[in-house]
Amino acid sequence: MNIFIPLTLQPISAMKQHYKIQIQGLVQGVGFRPFVYRVALDHSLKGTVENRNDGVIIKIIAEEVALNNFVNDLNKLSPVASSIDNIHIDVLQEYVDYSDFSIVKSTTVSDEITEVSPDISVCPDCLADMKTQDNRINYPFINCTNCGPRFSIITDLPYDRELTSMKPFAMCNRCRNEYTNILDRRFHAQPVACNDCGPHYEMVENGRTLTEISEIISRVSTILEQGGVLAIKGIGGYFICCDASNDEACQRIRAMKNREAKPFAVMFRDAAALSEYVEANTTEVSLLESWRKPIVLINQRKHLSKGLNSGLDKLGCMLPYMPFHYLLFEQTTLSTLVMTSGNISEEPIVIDDAEALETFSKFTDAVLTYNRRIANRCDDSVLVVVNEKPRLIRRSRGFVPNPIRLSLDTEGILAVGAELKNTFAIGKGNQCIISQHIGDLKNIETYNFYTETAERFARLFRFKPAIVACDLHPDYISSRFAEETGLPLIKVQHHHAHIASVLAETGHQGKVIGVSFDGTGLGDDNAIWGGEFFLCDLKGYERLAHIAYKPLPGGDAAANHPWRMACSYLYAVFGTLFTGFDLPMLRMIDPAKVSMLIQGLEKGLNSPMTSSAGRLFDAASALCGLCTTHSFEAEGPMLLESIIQKNCEESYSFELSKGMISFDPMFFEMTNDLLSKIPLPLISARFHNTIVNGIVELATKLASENNINTIALSGGVFMNAYLLSKTENALQQRNMTVLTNLKIPANDGGIALGQLAVVAATR
C-alpha cells in the first residue's frame, strides 16, 4: 500500500524552497533513481537523487505546487516492480542553487535499510533487444532497469554494481554509455552487460567445453529432444532439466535426486502450450505472466509424463523467466520441460559451479554453467489459487526479501522458525524480513545454508539481534540454534505462531478464534498438538478445543508410515476386530506388523497422544489404500485430495463434546463404505466435507460463545485447496470474517513471522 505524507504548508507558497524527500519501500534495484530523474526532468526541476541504505533521497529546489505535482507523479507512475511505503518531506534551511538534476553516488548513513528487490524476470523490451542490438544478439544475461537479477547477486547495501556479483565484469564503452545516458532504459541498471563485457555460459559434456551461446543452445536442444538430462545454472541455483513428456528421462532424474514420487515443476513454452495441459483461470495465468514468474499449481486437463506428479490432479507450472529459457524454446521442438531444483534428496539447491560439476557430471549428459557467482541461493516460489486468491506454498525467488510491514516495533528480534520448511525472520523497525525457503534443518547441508543465510541477512540488513524467538519444542534444531546465541529467548507455541502469522500479515487487532491444523507441534501438556481451536491474539492464547487425542503408534515413525495412524483410529473404533476386515490397506501391510502395533497400543508403548489433523488425513489416505508409506511429506493427503468427487456434498458424522471434536464416527462410516466397495472419489469427498463441517460447526460455536465473529485459519493442512475453499466459503456464509495467510505460506514456512509478531507484541 502506498502511503503519501503531504506537506502542511499554509498558505501554498510560490516561493522556491529546498526540499528533502525520503522514499522508503521497494525502491532499490527496480530502476527507481532513473525513474525519479526522468520525472524531475519532465517537471523541469533541479536537484539530486541518491540511493542510501535508509531509502531513496531526493533533494530539489521547487515551489510547493511543483513539489506536490512531482511527488504525485512519483506515486502514480512508479516502476511496476517497485512499491512505495512512505514518502517523507522536509524543508531544508540551506538553499542550494543546483545547475541540473543528477544522480549522485550511493551512501550509507546509518543502520537503517531500504528494501532489496527480489529477482525480476526478463522484460519484453530486453527480449526484443536480444534480437536487434548487435552487441546483445542472443545474449543470455540481457537486462535493464526494469528486469534481471537482484537479490540473487547482491552482497551488501546500497544496491550498486560494486556490491553485487557483477563487480568483476567491467562495462565496455557501449554499456557504460547506456549506463550513464538518462534517455536509455539501462541508465544505472547495475547488472548491465553485453556479449563483449558480461558473464557467459559454458557447457561441459564428456570433458568437452562449449562457449559459443548458439552452439550451446543447439546442443542443449538436441540432448533434450533425444531424451537426455542436463544440469543448468539458473538465477538462484542449478536446475535439472529434461523433456517433460519423456517417462524415461523423468525417472532418470528421480533416481539421480533420490526422489521417488515428489512432483516436478514443468516449464511451458508459452500460455498456448500451457492451455493444452492444464485448466488455467485468469488469476493463474496472470500470476504465471507476472514479473515474479512463480510456479503455480493448476488443475491438469491432460497428462504429460506419468513420472511428473505421481497421479496428483495439479501440476506445478511455470513460464520462461530467464533470457536463456527463451533462447532454448526458440531452438527446441519441445514445448514442455522439467525444471526441478538441482539438488540431491533434501539438500539445498546447488549454487557453486565446482560442486555442480562434481555432483551432476556423474548423472547428467552435460552441465551448463556461467561465470557470475550466485550470492544468494533462491528456489522458485510456489503458489496455488484458492477462491481467486493467490496463496503462497513456498516463498522464495520473486518475493524474497520483500518485508512484511507490521504495526509493531520489531527491531532486534530474530525468529528462528520451525524445523521443516524452515524460514527465519529478522525485525527492522516495523518490518519483518523473512528469509527465502531454507528447508528441512535435519539435513546438515541445509542447516549450514541456514546459518550462512542468517549471517548474510544480519550483514546485508544491518541487523543486530537483541532477543530470539523459537519454537516451544526443545529438540527442534532451530530451537537449539536459538539457545546457542546466548541472547534472551522467548519460546512460542507452534500453533499460536501459525495463527499469529495470520494476524500479523493482515494487521488484525483484537482476539480471534484461531483454527490451527497441521502435522506436529509440541503442546503445553507435552502431547503432540495439530488440530487446535484457540481464542487468541498476538499476546496469548487459550486452547478452547481440539481434535480428540489418539495414540501415535511409533511416535515420529507414524508420520512416514500413515498405516500406523490408520490402525490407531481403527483400533479405537473397532478394537482388534478390524484385523479381520477386507480393507485395501490391510492387503498391503504385513499382518505381523499390524499385530505388533496393536500390542504396542494395548500396552501404551511408544504411542504418545496426538490431536494432529495432519495425522488424521494420513490415516484416511492409508485406510483407502492410497498411501501406506510416504515417499514425500503429505503424499497421502495430497493423493486423497486429488481424487475428490467434486460435485459431492455428502459427508460423514462427527461428535462434539466440551473442548473436543471426535472423528471416530467418520472412521466407522468410512470403513463401512470401503467394505461396501463405495468408489474412493466419493469416500474422499465425504471425508473432506466432514472435516469442513466439523471445523465450521465448532469454530462458529466457539465464536458465538466468546462474542467474536472473526476466525483465522492457518497450518499446513490448509494447503489443501479443497478444504480451505470449502471452509472459507462456509464460514463466510455464516457471516464470519475469515482471515487466512496470503503473503506467506500457511505451512511452517510462515512460523517465523508468527514467532516474531508474538515477541514484538509481548516484550
Side-chain angles (χ1 to χ4, degrees):
M1 178 184 297
N2 293 347
I3 304 169
F4 174 53
I5 304 176
L7 291 175
T8 56
L9 302 180
Q10 296 291 337
I12 293 177
S13 172
M15 181 180 67
K16 287 186 178 181
Q17 296 194 75
H18 191 194
Y19 295 104
K20 173 188 171 184
I21 306 168
Q22 181 182 29
I23 304 179
Q24 293 179 312
L26 179 48
V27 289
Q28 287 196 10
V30 290
F32 204 85
R33 285 179 299 170
F35 157 71
V36 170
Y37 190 115
R38 288 189 288 271
V39 174
L41 293 188
D42 288 343
H43 287 266
S44 301
L45 297 175
K46 297 178 180 180
T48 63
V49 60
E50 66 173 312
N51 265 350
R52 292 200 325 209
N53 55 300
D54 58 344
V56 166
I57 304 299
I58 305 165
K59 294 180 180 179
I60 58 169
I61 298 295
E63 297 174 1
E64 188 176 343
V65 171
L67 170 74
N68 283 333
N69 291 337
F70 171 65
V71 172
N72 286 336
D73 276 358
L74 293 181
N75 248 328
K76 184 170 60 176
L77 305 174
S78 58
V80 63
S82 68
S83 175
I84 296 175
D85 288 330
N86 60 72
I87 300 176
H88 186 79
I89 303 171
D90 289 316
V91 178
L92 299 177
Q93 297 303 313
E94 179 187 5
Y95 189 91
V96 177
D97 190 14
Y98 297 104
S99 59
D100 56 13
F101 196 90
S102 62
I103 294 178
V104 299
K105 183 176 176 60
S106 301
T107 57
T108 297
V109 295
S110 69
D111 283 341
E112 282 191 67
I113 53 99
T114 191
E115 291 184 32
V116 176
S117 170
D119 298 290
I120 306 172
S121 63
V122 63
C123 69
D125 289 334
C126 281
L127 290 176
D129 288 348
M130 198 163 60
K131 300 303 172 189
T132 58
Q133 290 187 344
D134 60 359
N135 63 326
R136 292 195 177 92
I137 297 297
N138 293 337
Y139 183 55
F141 300 96
I142 194 168
N143 68 89
C144 68
T145 55
N146 300 318
C147 70
R150 298 295 193 269
F151 176 63
S152 61
I153 65 171
I154 193 168
T155 60
D156 205 347
L157 291 179
Y159 176 66
D160 282 324
R161 191 179 181 103
E162 60 266 25
L163 297 177
T164 74
S165 54
M166 284 296 295
K167 181 180 179 180
F169 303 96
M171 281 182 264
C172 65
N173 288 336
R174 293 179 69 174
C175 286
R176 174 64 64 182
N177 288 338
E178 292 171 323
Y179 183 84
T180 56
N181 180 3
I182 181 58
L183 300 178
D184 197 283
R185 204 177 71 255
R186 294 184 175 87
F187 179 60
H188 277 236
Q190 303 308 329
V192 66
C194 71
N195 280 311
D196 297 328
C197 64
H200 64 269
Y201 273 100
E202 286 188 353
M203 179 174 171
V204 179
E205 180 186 8
N206 296 325
R208 174 183 172 223
T209 302
L210 295 178
T211 58
E212 173 57 45
I213 190 62
S214 59
E215 293 181 8
I216 290 173
I217 295 293
S218 177
R219 184 59 189 147
V220 167
S221 177
T222 299
I223 291 173
L224 293 173
E225 289 168 4
Q226 291 177 348
V229 173
L230 294 110
I232 300 175
K233 189 174 182 179
I235 290 287
Y238 277 80
F239 289 88
I240 308 299
C241 180
C242 76
D243 174 6
S245 65
N246 189 305
D247 290 345
E248 185 178 340
C250 290
Q251 290 304 321
R252 187 176 159 195
I253 293 179
R254 291 205 176 280
M256 181 194 86
K257 286 171 61 76
N258 190 24
R259 182 169 166 174
E260 182 180 341
K262 194 173 181 180
F264 289 151
V266 176
M267 180 174 285
F268 291 84
R269 176 191 300 274
D270 50 29
L274 179 84
S275 65
E276 182 180 349
Y277 294 98
V278 298
E279 300 172 348
N281 61 35
T282 303
T283 305
E284 290 163 341
V285 172
S286 66
L287 280 172
L288 288 167
E289 294 180 340
S290 71
W291 62 266
R292 299 182 192 274
K293 293 290 176 75
I295 297 169
V296 181
L297 302 185
I298 307 177
N299 288 327
Q300 287 188 116
R301 74 163 81 240
K302 175 181 172 183
H303 284 276
L304 280 156
S305 165
K306 62 184 179 183
L308 283 179
N309 63 346
S310 306
L312 300 175
D313 63 336
K314 286 183 171 63
L315 185 65
C317 305
M318 60 200 307
L319 293 177
Y321 58 85
M322 293 178 66
F324 177 85
H325 298 151
Y326 288 92
L327 291 171
L328 178 55
F329 277 117
E330 285 175 7
Q331 178 75 31
T332 183
T333 59
L334 304 174
S335 61
T336 59
L337 296 173
V338 166
M339 284 283 185
T340 187
S341 300
N343 60 351
I344 304 298
S345 189
E346 296 301 320
E347 295 178 7
I349 187 170
V350 173
I351 61 172
D352 181 76
D353 300 331
E355 181 186 355
L357 287 167
E358 180 181 353
T359 301
F360 300 132
S361 294
K362 308 168 190 173
F363 307 105
T364 64
D365 296 291
V367 177
L368 185 58
T369 186
Y370 58 78
N371 61 335
R372 183 182 68 210
R373 181 171 66 91
I374 296 174
N376 295 295
R377 181 186 275 113
C378 224
D379 288 277
D380 290 319
S381 294
V382 183
L383 296 97
V384 65
V385 175
V386 180
N387 290 341
E388 295 303 309
K389 298 176 184 176
R391 323 275 180 151
L392 275 157
I393 294 174
R394 183 171 73 193
R395 187 177 185 270
S396 213
R397 179 189 56 78
F399 290 87
V400 173
N402 281 172
I404 307 297
R405 195 167 292 276
L406 309 180
S407 57
L408 298 163
D409 177 14
T410 70
E411 190 66 42
I413 303 172
L414 168 63
V416 298
E419 186 165 79
L420 301 178
K421 295 183 175 64
N422 177 272
T423 63
F424 64 83
I426 62 174
K428 290 288 294 184
N430 66 343
Q431 296 181 352
C432 174
I433 304 172
I434 306 173
S435 75
Q436 67 269 48
H437 169 77
I438 302 290
D440 181 359
L441 297 185
K442 290 181 180 178
N443 180 290
I444 185 61
E445 288 82 4
T446 306
Y447 180 71
N448 291 338
F449 168 33
Y450 174 81
T451 56
E452 291 165 4
T453 307
E455 291 173 3
R456 185 172 295 115
F457 267 54
R459 183 179 68 253
L460 185 61
F461 298 109
R462 278 98 171 143
F463 175 70
K464 297 173 183 175
I467 190 169
V468 184
C470 72
D471 195 274
L472 190 64
H473 200 304
D475 293 332
Y476 277 4
I477 294 172
S478 54
S479 298
R480 295 178 193 169
F481 173 84
E483 294 272 7
E484 290 170 2
T485 65
L487 294 169
L489 184 65
I490 295 181
K491 296 184 176 183
V492 181
Q493 201 281 325
H494 190 87
H495 302 96
H496 184 211
H498 271 309
I499 302 303
S501 74
V502 180
L503 302 182
E505 73 158 277
T506 59
H508 179 80
Q509 303 291 321
K511 293 186 182 295
V512 300
I513 299 299
V515 183
S516 184
F517 273 27
D518 68 357
T520 299
L522 182 64
D524 296 334
D525 57 0
N526 288 321
I528 301 169
W529 289 5
E532 311 309 313
F533 294 78
F534 289 159
L535 171 65
C536 68
D537 55 18
L538 290 178
K539 293 184 177 181
Y541 63 95
E542 178 185 354
R543 191 190 194 202
L544 300 179
H546 58 86
I547 293 175
Y549 281 133
K550 285 290 178 291
L552 186 65
D556 289 344
N560 295 321
H561 302 281
W563 68 270
R564 290 175 169 272
M565 199 66 207
C567 286
S568 182
Y569 269 96
L570 289 171
Y571 180 75
V573 175
F574 298 103
T576 58
L577 290 176
F578 82 87
T579 58
F581 295 168
D582 182 24
L583 293 170
M585 179 188 77
L586 295 179
R587 299 182 210 125
M588 303 175 181
I589 305 299
D590 182 351
K593 290 184 177 180
V594 176
S595 178
M596 288 182 63
L597 182 142
I598 290 173
Q599 291 178 36
L601 289 173
E602 290 174 338
K603 296 177 181 178
L605 297 175
N606 193 22
S607 298
M609 303 303 289
T610 184
S611 60
S612 170
R615 300 295 81 82
L616 173 70
F617 276 74
D618 282 349
S621 68
L623 181 61
C624 292
L626 294 173
C627 181
T628 57
T629 298
H630 283 166
S631 58
F632 63 90
E633 186 189 6
E635 179 181 11
M638 290 169 70
L639 288 168
L640 191 64
E641 181 189 1
S642 290
I643 65 168
I644 291 172
Q645 183 174 309
K646 296 295 197 302
N647 60 352
C648 172
E649 296 298 328
E650 300 170 12
S651 61
Y652 297 120
S653 305
F654 58 88
E655 292 178 350
L656 289 181
S657 59
K658 185 172 178 58
M660 200 173 299
I661 179 169
S662 172
F663 290 106
D664 286 3
M666 176 181 70
F667 275 90
F668 180 87
E669 293 166 11
M670 279 184 70
T671 302
N672 284 334
D673 274 359
L674 287 163
L675 294 174
S676 302
K677 310 301 181 186
I678 299 297
L680 289 183
L682 183 54
I683 292 175
S684 176
R686 290 172 175 172
F687 167 81
H688 281 85
N689 292 341
T690 306
I691 306 303
V692 171
N693 293 345
I695 293 171
V696 172
E697 191 69 31
L698 183 51
T700 52
K701 179 177 182 292
L702 296 173
S704 175
E705 291 172 354
N706 290 277
N707 196 28
I708 285 174
N709 73 337
T710 302
I711 296 174
L713 309 175
S714 191
V717 169
F718 287 110
M719 293 283 96
N720 184 311
Y722 182 91
L723 180 76
L724 177 59
S725 174
K726 297 271 285 189
T727 304
E728 190 174 60
N729 291 339
L731 287 169
Q732 289 171 345
Q733 287 168 9
R734 295 197 180 195
N735 297 317
M736 294 287 120
T737 298
V738 184
L739 307 178
T740 60
N741 294 111
L742 296 175
K743 298 176 184 177
I744 60 157
N747 59 34
D748 280 6
I751 283 288
L753 171 60
Q755 292 173 343
L756 183 140
V758 168
V759 173
T762 57
R763 65 173 174 176

